[in-house]
Amino acid sequence: MTAALSLADVRKQFGETKIIRGVSLDIAKGERHAIIGPNGAGKTTLFNLISGRFPITSGSISLNGERIDTLAPHEINRRGLSRSFQITSIFPNMTVFENIRCGLLWSRGYRYTSFRLLGRQKALNAESEALLERLNLQSRRDLIAGLLSYAEQRALEIGITIAGGAEVILLDEPTAGMSNTETEYAVNLIRTVSEGKTLLMVEHDMSVVFGLADRVSVVVYGEVIASDVPAAIRSNMAVQEAYLGAEAQ
Amino acid sequence: MRTRTDLRWIWVIALAIALVLPWIFFDWKTSRHSGFVLTMLSEIGLMIVFALSFNMQMGQAGLLSFGHAVLFGLGGYTTAHALNAIRTSGIWFPLELVPLIGGMGGLAFGVVIGYIATKQRATAFAMITMGLSELVGAAALMFMTFFGGESGITTDRMIESSLVGASYSAPWQVYYLIVFWVFVSVALMWLHTQTPLGKMANAQRDNFERTQFVGYDPQLIRFWQFVVSGFFAGIAGSLYTIVYEIVTYDALAASKSANALLASYIGGVGGFFGPVLGATLVVLMQSGLSLLSNSWVLYIGVLFIVMVMYAPGGIVGLLGQHAPIARIGRLHELVLPYVRILVPALITVFGFVLLVELTSFVTIGATQGKKFKVGSLMIDAATAQPWMLAIGALLIGGLWLRLASRGFMRVWDGLIEEAKTLGGAAR
Amino acid sequence: MEVFLVSLLNGLVYGMLLFMLASGLTLIFSMMGVLNFAHASAFMLGAYFAYSISLIAGFWVALFDAPILCGLLGAAIERFGLRRVHRNGHVAELLFTFGLAMVIEKVVQMSWGLLAVPYRIPAGLDFPLFSVYGTQFPAYRAFMLLISGLMFLAIWLALTRTRVGLVIQASLTHPEMARALGHDVPKVFTLVFASGMALAGLAGVIGGNYQTTSPSMAVTMGPIVFVVVVFGGLGSLLGCFIASLLMGLIQTFAVVLDYSAADLLANVGLTVTRSSPFGELLTMPLPRIGALLPYILLVLILWFRPRGLMGTRDT
């Protein structure tokens, strides 16, 4: 069966600096996969390579069997891959509702038209409201997104990320900077929205990793040093403490 | 939050004012409209459309263009040629629909120019538009067939075909045609902001990466926004040709593009209606101030710099900043602080204006044989007194203003803090 | 051959003048991200200051003082204006310098009048230096080459041999990094901006009497300097140097090559007259299109190679 997302000996260097030194990874359809590792290991760079922000130096990245490493980010997104960002990436000057609606536009067939009034699109607006409810942001509907609290913005970002119905979702440190309650809430949200989808996430919070992930890969210095079920990785902790340091739980 | 019906009433009131305005300046004794006023009002109208179309790029899509007048001017030239062609060929095409031709011209050139320019964003985009502006401006001076070289293309709007049977020989008829097209254009541009392209243009301005990850190509968004803005710029240019019956290279010139930039920025590029205010102000300053002083460009320039430094949201932005305070009902507490800064501000402005006028007179005015007059008061610029008065007012007013503004800011900050804690800042 | 050599020399002179202007602009743009519209205004002010100073104290004093005045003005603009506007983003900085250019042009008109002023080459330098195939090469042009050459040397030494220079070099390509390393970047910014304006002023001092000194100087020169900066590429002074010389040569040669596209086509057997489609465009001789060449280049460069000739960063 073709993996949903497949990386084959991916390498990336900026000038002379080798950031990613040969990463091979296969993520099955419907799998929830977490990537952990010390800071500077290249996790976010890996995400940036997959999502097309940077070109790879060598190797290949495939989505459902189709190579995507030469495509532009929006082309990759249209093939069913979406991502969130380490630094919250929403539309800060629009209302929460408009943010969600913009996330839905392309996938619901709207293109670069100036001939449809968004206020009159019943189906689109209904879907946006429904998604808002799922995210529990209904009460914030008409607030300018830039004014939301940090955790609410992260939730909104997850909402925009999945709005288009992408089958493969990349989440870059989704619970970064959250309190325990906020983290718990976010984890539940992620679990529900990724139901039946393929999830790849970078995380530092081990409770999140072990609570959500089916498989875990450890990235150190641009290489995957271990890739297994969470229990196996956890028992490998003794070796990895040197790398994970205070994160170990 | 304003309701839809509130906003609709504003449109109706604005339309009513626009329709009634010429009659306020009507000379009842001679039964004639003021040609000067009507032309100026028409100019305001077409500048409003021009500035709003510019803001489609700058404010809504984050595209700073130094060459927007190219689309305006090309729309004008297209219209001029079309009017001449209608005349010679005898085809029936009502004048009321001619601005559409200008719009299509602006759209077509928008496609060509937009294709090149929107490959880039931000500074690189600004540079391409600057280069293209110089290119087309210089070409307009050189080539005769389309541009008519230095003398431009003249035309005649009385093509004897009209949907309403008007001959457009009288300025007031032209004015009402302008009013019609201004309202239609403004309404359409407003509606555009509520469409997928309009919203995504805002989106790519604020966050082009997220735009990519909702499936849109930011470059194509920029391109189509540019094209649509070109359509409306073309309409504005068309109205220009209809009013003045001539179009020359300065309809394309960099200074015309700068006008759009100034008008939009001074009015406020953040929302939708800022440029309307800005365009009105700039035209009034151009028509009005230019009668009083040679240095009106300097004043507009200084106003522009002051706004860039202290009020980047324009006039509309400045007004909007008062909203939180108004919401908690404490606007009246600002009256006295405002008076306290208004006095030194006026003195500073007085000193500045006097200095500028004196200097300008000494170098330009004197050689032209004019005399320096303020109302009926004659001032001898050769003596020291007026100069000392000017410099003194400027310095004293300036220092006083600095002091007073500190006090003002204290009151202001306090009120804003209160507004925030009372939950007024968030919508 | 004669035409070629004379044009070559003239092109070099003009190119070096452009480099004096473009080098400052490229430094400011690369380091601070600000497209300084007021740069060409400093060029104009340099010429006007030199004119006024030379009326009182002679050319040589003006040569020294006028650029300093421009530099001081630049420092004031950066310190009290740009730095304030910086927090509103690059577009606001750009608009600020744009407004400034407008205002300076008006102030010049107000202070010196609308017409060109008779800023002339000093008598001491007004003689033919040598003859090239019968055409005289004025000593003043050699003087211009000398000054611009000395300036180039001075910049090169300052950038490579002084500590500040090294910081500037680092900030050219990696501004955030330089700041993170603890260098007082705001002070360096003021220094670079002021020096850039002073250089532009110096270019005005020696160029103002070579061309005409009028209030429209800035508007004529400005766009061409922008083209050179973009052409040469961000972050590279060498690219700027090559681009300046190229532009100088192109513009000079365009004036002397009296051919048109129609002539080219005639060589392959196609006749084009004014009445043919696009006839007007194709029969336009090169000298007249010469004014358009820099802008055509700008558009082409930004389309095909936004990095410019040797840029290290995208524009």
Side-chain angles (χ1 to χ4, degrees):
Chain A
M1 192 173 81
T2 350
L5 188 62
S6 180
L7 279 74
D9 197 34
V10 171
R11 289 171 196 276
K12 176 65 184 171
Q13 58 187 70
F14 290 99
E16 285 309 310
T17 326
K18 296 185 169 63
I19 304 286
I20 305 290
R21 300 152 188 265
V23 166
S24 296
L25 206 55
D26 279 320
I27 300 165
K29 199 161 178 304
E31 181 181 322
R32 289 201 184 105
H33 198 110
I35 296 190
I36 64 176
N39 280 324
K43 307 189 293 295
T44 298
T45 309
L46 210 55
F47 261 34
N48 288 335
L49 293 174
I50 298 172
S51 64
R53 198 189 199 192
F54 302 137
I56 57 177
T57 310
S58 70
S60 77
I61 303 178
S62 308
L63 181 68
N64 292 321
E66 187 193 348
R67 275 193 73 158
I68 57 169
D69 50 74
T70 48
L71 296 179
H74 59 270
E75 291 173 319
I76 297 176
N77 179 259
R78 289 174 196 166
R79 280 162 174 71
L81 185 148
S82 190
R83 71 168 287 185
S84 75
F85 293 83
Q86 204 170 1
I87 301 174
T88 315
S89 180
I90 54 177
F91 301 121
N93 291 321
M94 292 189 198
T95 65
V96 172
F97 179 76
E98 287 175 331
N99 264 268
I100 295 288
R101 190 165 58 181
C102 281
L104 282 169
L105 281 176
W106 187 270
S107 57
R108 300 301 178 264
Y110 295 91
R111 298 289 177 262
Y112 304 95
T113 177
S114 183
F115 292 114
R116 293 220 185 294
L117 282 178
L118 285 174
R120 300 248 175 100
Q121 308 304 307
K122 294 211 179 83
L124 179 68
N125 290 325
E127 266 206 76
S128 309
E129 300 279 4
L131 185 49
L132 263 184
E133 262 205 68
R134 273 177 86 189
L135 296 168
N136 212 353
L137 287 171
Q138 269 289 36
S139 56
R140 297 284 194 235
R141 186 189 186 277
D142 294 317
L143 199 57
I144 300 288
L147 296 173
L148 286 175
S149 75
Y150 177 75
E152 286 173 326
Q153 284 187 355
R154 298 297 270 174
L156 177 61
E157 180 166 15
I158 293 175
I160 304 175
T161 305
I162 58 127
E167 286 298 319
V168 178
I169 305 170
L170 270 55
L171 296 179
D172 197 347
E173 298 196 36
T175 65
M178 287 188 185
S179 68
N180 280 334
T181 14
E182 290 169 340
T183 305
E184 219 187 292
Y185 180 76
V187 168
N188 280 325
L189 180 62
I190 296 173
R191 195 178 288 121
T192 31
V193 300
S194 63
E195 205 69 45
K197 310 225 197 262
T198 313
L199 175 67
L200 177 63
M201 66 178 171
V202 168
E203 253 302 341
H204 279 298
D205 189 334
M206 287 305 135
S207 64
V208 174
V209 172
F210 294 127
L212 268 180
D214 299 325
R215 291 176 61 85
V216 177
S217 293
V218 185
V219 174
V220 177
Y221 278 133
E223 288 179 291
V224 176
I225 65 167
S227 185
D228 211 333
V229 291
I233 296 290
R234 198 205 293 261
S235 60
N236 217 340
M237 276 311 212
V239 173
Q240 281 153 36
E241 250 212 61
Y243 300 108
L244 296 171
E247 313 271 6
Q249 290 207 3
Chain B
M1 187 167 138
R2 285 219 179 96
T3 61
R4 299 275 293 275
T5 35
D6 282 350
L7 287 175
R8 279 203 199 128
W9 272 115
I10 294 183
W11 284 96
V12 173
I13 295 174
L15 183 60
I17 294 178
L19 291 173
V20 162
L21 265 176
W23 302 97
I24 302 178
F25 298 94
F26 190 72
D27 188 343
W28 297 98
K29 276 186 254 144
T30 56
S31 274
R32 286 176 61 201
H33 279 282
S34 161
F36 170 74
V37 168
L38 282 176
T39 312
M40 189 178 76
L41 289 175
S42 303
E43 175 80 20
I44 291 180
L46 59 95
M47 272 304 284
I48 285 177
V49 178
F50 184 41
L52 277 173
S53 72
F54 173 78
N55 203 33
M56 282 181 81
Q57 290 184 28
M58 169 138 186
Q60 290 170 28
L63 294 168
L64 174 57
S65 166
F66 285 111
H68 199 58
V70 170
L71 297 166
F72 174 86
L74 286 173
Y77 278 104
T78 313
T79 307
H81 287 297
L83 279 173
N84 292 341
I86 293 173
R87 234 157 199 268
T88 43
S89 68
I91 301 176
W92 187 88
F93 193 90
L95 187 68
E96 289 84 4
L97 295 179
V98 166
L100 270 179
I101 301 181
M104 295 312 291
L107 187 120
F109 286 109
V111 168
V112 174
I113 295 173
Y115 182 68
I116 304 172
T118 57
K119 281 219 183 304
Q120 302 292 335
R121 321 182 267 133
T123 316
F125 172 84
M127 303 231 63
I128 298 185
T129 57
M130 183 170 69
L132 286 171
S133 165
E134 297 284 335
L135 202 58
V136 177
L141 277 170
M142 275 195 252
F143 295 104
M144 296 297 299
T145 28
F146 186 73
F147 294 108
E150 281 189 30
S151 31
I153 306 278
T154 44
T155 185
D156 189 343
R157 64 172 165 260
M158 296 195 277
I159 51 174
E160 281 139 34
S161 48
S162 159
L163 286 173
V164 294
S167 65
Y168 295 104
S169 49
W172 68 267
Q173 292 173 334
V174 178
Y175 172 71
Y176 282 126
L177 180 64
I178 306 284
V179 168
F180 171 73
W181 273 102
V182 169
F183 270 85
V184 167
S185 306
V186 173
L188 286 176
M189 283 193 268
W190 161 250
L191 287 174
H192 171 87
T193 63
Q194 312 296 312
T195 63
L197 180 58
K199 286 288 176 199
M200 290 315 292
N202 294 342
Q204 72 82 39
R205 168 199 67 192
D206 292 334
N207 192 338
F208 85 94
E209 280 204 287
R210 179 44 75 190
T211 306
Q212 288 174 314
F213 280 101
V214 295
Y216 276 90
D217 182 355
Q219 197 184 315
L220 270 180
I221 296 177
R222 291 198 297 272
F223 174 70
W224 286 114
Q225 183 79 352
F226 191 93
V227 168
V228 177
S229 118
F231 175 71
F232 290 105
I235 291 182
S238 193
L239 296 177
Y240 178 90
T241 306
I242 292 176
V243 171
Y244 297 109
E245 292 184 306
I246 182 173
V247 55
T248 58
Y249 69 92
D250 50 36
L252 304 159
S255 52
K256 196 89 182 162
S257 298
N259 264 2
L261 173 58
L262 286 173
S264 297
Y265 204 81
I266 290 176
V269 294
F272 181 80
F273 289 102
V276 175
L277 193 58
T280 313
L281 200 68
V282 168
V283 174
L284 283 175
M285 284 177 90
Q286 266 181 321
S287 309
L289 270 187
S290 61
L291 294 175
L292 295 169
S293 159
N294 274 326
S295 318
W296 58 274
V297 177
L298 179 64
Y299 297 129
I300 295 188
V302 170
L303 175 63
F304 179 67
I305 293 180
V306 167
M307 299 216 85
V308 171
M309 287 178 76
Y310 298 105
I315 295 178
V316 168
L318 272 178
L319 291 174
Q321 284 181 326
H322 290 76
I325 300 179
R327 237 175 269 128
I328 56 170
R330 297 184 52 182
L331 209 53
H332 59 276
E333 290 183 30
L334 284 173
V335 172
L336 198 56
Y338 261 122
V339 171
R340 285 214 189 97
I341 56 169
L342 204 63
V343 177
L346 282 173
I347 297 179
T348 317
V349 170
F350 167 74
F352 179 70
V353 170
L354 188 56
L355 189 62
V356 167
E357 292 304 322
L358 280 171
T359 320
S360 170
F361 176 76
V362 163
T363 42
I364 307 175
T367 55
Q368 293 175 339
K370 296 202 195 120
K371 299 244 185 279
F372 197 100
K373 282 166 86 168
V374 177
S376 50
L377 194 68
M378 269 273 277
I379 297 179
D380 188 356
T383 58
Q385 282 111 313
W387 292 91
M388 300 198 41
L389 179 65
I391 296 176
L394 189 57
L395 284 173
I396 295 175
L399 286 166
W400 184 0
L401 184 61
R402 269 198 88 174
L403 253 140
S405 58
R406 277 197 207 124
F408 179 84
M409 282 315 288
R410 246 177 285 134
V411 179
W412 176 269
D413 288 335
L415 283 170
I416 289 284
E417 271 307 306
E418 298 229 20
K420 272 203 195 133
T421 46
L422 289 173
R427 230 206 280 182
Chain C
M1 190 55 191
E2 165 193 335
V3 169
F4 179 78
L5 264 180
V6 169
S7 302
L8 186 68
L9 282 169
N10 285 338
L12 276 172
V13 172
Y14 185 46
M16 287 302 279
L17 191 71
L18 277 178
F19 179 65
M20 285 185 74
L21 277 168
S23 56
L25 189 59
T26 238
L27 272 174
I28 294 173
F29 192 19
S30 309
M31 270 193 80
M32 301 162 69
V34 182
L35 201 59
N36 183 19
F37 274 94
H39 209 75
S41 307
F43 172 72
M44 177 168 68
L45 282 174
Y48 272 95
F49 285 152
Y51 166 68
S52 296
I53 296 177
S54 61
L55 283 179
I56 314 171
F59 177 75
W60 300 99
V61 175
L63 183 66
F64 190 69
D65 285 341
I68 292 183
L69 276 174
C70 291
L72 286 172
L73 182 66
I77 292 173
E78 204 281 330
R79 179 75 180 70
F80 299 113
L82 265 184
R83 215 179 277 191
R84 227 223 113 91
V85 177
H86 180 72
R87 72 186 81 142
N88 293 331
H90 282 322
V91 172
E93 289 174 319
L94 206 152
L95 290 174
F96 176 72
T97 61
F98 180 74
L100 209 58
M102 268 182 72
V103 168
I104 292 180
E105 184 182 342
K106 276 295 136 190
V107 170
V108 165
Q109 281 179 1
M110 265 170 38
S111 315
W112 281 280
L114 294 163
L115 303 168
V117 292
Y119 177 40
R120 303 216 200 288
I121 298 175
L125 289 168
D126 195 5
F127 59 89
L129 190 61
F130 55 82
S131 291
V132 178
Y133 290 98
T135 317
Q136 296 172 329
F137 189 73
Y140 192 69
R141 288 197 204 154
F143 175 68
M144 288 172 71
L145 269 177
L146 179 69
I147 295 287
S148 36
L150 280 173
M151 267 300 115
F152 183 43
L153 192 64
I155 298 174
W156 186 72
L157 282 174
L159 283 180
T160 52
R161 299 293 149 100
T162 66
R163 253 193 55 186
V164 172
L166 288 175
V167 175
I168 293 176
Q169 278 197 61
S171 310
L172 260 180
T173 44
H174 295 86
E176 290 88 26
M177 204 55 208
R179 199 192 303 256
L181 285 172
H183 294 290
D184 190 352
V185 183
K187 271 221 193 79
V188 177
F189 277 5
T190 314
L191 179 66
V192 170
F193 196 84
S195 310
M197 297 283 269
L199 256 180
L202 179 60
V205 174
I206 63 174
N209 45 20
Y210 177 56
Q211 305 170 333
T212 23
T213 302
S214 74
S216 57
M217 272 172 96
V219 175
T220 333
M221 233 3 185
I224 301 180
V225 182
F226 284 136
V227 177
V228 169
V229 167
V230 172
F231 196 23
L234 270 188
S236 164
L237 270 179
L238 184 58
C240 181
F241 183 66
I242 298 174
S244 309
L245 289 182
L246 260 172
M247 190 66 64
L249 289 169
I250 289 175
Q251 282 210 282
T252 317
F253 274 99
V255 175
V256 291
L257 292 172
D258 199 358
Y259 301 112
S260 67
D263 297 327
L264 262 172
L265 288 171
N267 280 337
V268 287
L270 291 164
T271 11
V272 178
T273 61
R274 289 206 60 172
S275 41
S276 336
F278 291 107
E280 203 180 349
L281 180 63
L282 293 170
T283 52
M284 188 69 70
L286 199 54
R288 290 199 67 193
I289 301 199
L292 297 179
L293 282 176
Y295 308 116
I296 298 177
L297 268 171
L298 177 70
V299 175
L300 288 174
I301 273 273
L302 281 171
W303 191 348
F304 289 114
R305 203 186 151 90
R307 265 184 193 210
L309 275 181
M310 298 176 69
T312 51
R313 286 155 43 196
D314 259 325
T315 313

